[in-house]
Amino acid sequence: MKLHNCVAVVTGSGRGIGREIALKLASEGARVVVNDLDPTPAWETVEAIRAAGGEAVAHSGSVTENGFADALVDAAVENFGGLDIVVNNAGYTWDSVIQKTTDEQFAAMIDVHLAAPFRILRAAQPVMSAAAKAEIAAHGTARCRKIVNISSVAGLAGNPGQAAYASAKAGVTGLSRTLAREWGRYNITVNTVAFGLISTRLTTAANASASIEVAGRTIEVGVNPDVLDSAASLIPLGRPGLPEEAAGAVFLLCTPEADYITGQTLVCGGGWEG
């Protein structure tokens, strides 16, 4: 139970990678606030955690909504008494080559992948720093708290058709490195995990009916099968990653063994970096 007595918030944890992150943290003793855009998958994750003997609550809603960040942090404090781990995982892809990318499309990608984590971490700072200061005053040191922001190899190397998404994910790196410097005095580590090709509903082979609903928009998802085959052939391990493997990379940075690692980007891509 490496995360015993820790309180974690995981955004976008009703499905896919986020769900596996929440399940993994809970299996190691963390009490988890599960977030998803839709209430049903959020509660399904909570029920799975509770069925396994863990503790969790659901806080559904869009990470881009006004006031959401404060409400999410309040949910952690009100239900579990504090906040020790934040995983900014929520997001989706909305792809186009740049000449076809609208202002709305670009802004949506920046908002969900970069602005939302910024707001959540801004809201979390007073809670986490106050706890650290109290521990330092009482014991001379603070327990190590963890921030893990989710990025992508697209944010490191770029990817055709993802100017907006890649720009947002590149920004996550700058945000993480800056907060690593600001929050080190509170013994809070801030790192990024950049995923490669992970098998989720957003990266399955595209078909005419594959879409998601976000803020009243119907957005086509999936990847051209030829592109998938090409990408898989470039991965040294020879296959896309599984959501639970992606969750493992996040968990690594939440463990006590990673207490002296901060400001770093861990690529979870089977050896492929874009």
Side-chain angles (χ1 to χ4, degrees):
M1 288 291 185
K2 291 180 180 292
L3 305 181
H4 181 62
N5 283 334
C6 290
V7 178
V9 165
V10 185
T11 65
S13 50
R15 302 179 176 91
I17 295 170
R19 174 185 169 89
E20 295 300 327
I21 294 170
L23 292 172
K24 180 63 177 177
L25 299 186
S27 75
E28 291 288 341
R31 293 167 288 170
V32 184
V33 178
V34 174
N35 159 257
D36 197 87
L37 184 63
D38 302 318
T40 299
W43 275 109
E44 289 173 349
T45 301
V46 168
E47 289 169 356
I49 290 171
R50 291 177 177 175
E55 294 183 62
V57 296
H59 186 82
S60 58
S62 172
V63 295
T64 64
E65 290 176 358
N66 288 334
F68 177 86
D70 290 323
L72 182 66
V73 172
D74 288 346
V77 175
E78 291 168 6
N79 284 280
F80 298 127
L83 183 56
D84 304 292
I85 298 169
V86 178
V87 181
N88 281 304
N89 168 77
Y92 60 98
T93 54
W94 191 3
D95 298 344
S96 290
V97 290
I98 193 166
Q99 67 271 24
K100 295 181 180 180
T101 300
T102 65
D103 287 354
E104 177 192 20
Q105 193 172 354
F106 189 87
M109 291 292 93
I110 297 296
D111 202 18
V112 70
H113 292 289
L114 181 56
F118 159 75
R119 296 186 193 106
I120 290 168
L121 296 176
R122 180 176 62 185
Q125 197 279 345
V127 173
M128 299 179 83
S129 66
K133 289 175 182 177
E135 290 164 359
I136 292 169
H139 309 294
T141 187
R143 67 187 296 181
C144 189
R145 293 175 169 85
K146 313 281 187 168
I147 308 297
V148 183
N149 295 318
I150 303 305
S151 185
S152 165
V153 295
L156 303 178
N159 195 38
Q162 292 191 321
Y165 177 79
S167 296
K169 290 303 191 183
V172 168
T173 301
L175 175 65
S176 301
R177 288 180 174 173
T178 297
L179 293 187
R181 291 173 178 265
E182 288 188 11
W183 292 6
R185 63 184 180 273
Y186 305 122
N187 203 21
I188 300 172
T189 66
V190 187
N191 293 292
T192 304
V193 174
F195 293 136
L197 181 59
I198 308 295
S199 295
T200 70
R201 63 180 179 145
L202 300 181
T203 60
T204 55
N207 63 72
S209 62
S211 64
I212 58 174
E213 296 290 329
V214 180
R217 312 181 190 98
T218 300
I219 298 172
E220 295 181 1
V221 297
V223 181
N224 182 295
D226 292 336
V227 173
L228 273 180
D229 291 342
S230 175
S233 70
L234 297 173
I235 299 172
L237 288 183
R239 61 173 177 82
L242 300 174
E244 52 266 39
E245 292 173 321
V250 174
F251 170 67
L252 285 175
L253 293 174
C254 295
T255 63
E257 287 83 354
D259 282 359
Y260 200 62
I261 300 172
T262 193
Q264 304 303 306
T265 297
L266 172 63
V267 178
C268 178
W272 178 62
E273 298 188 15

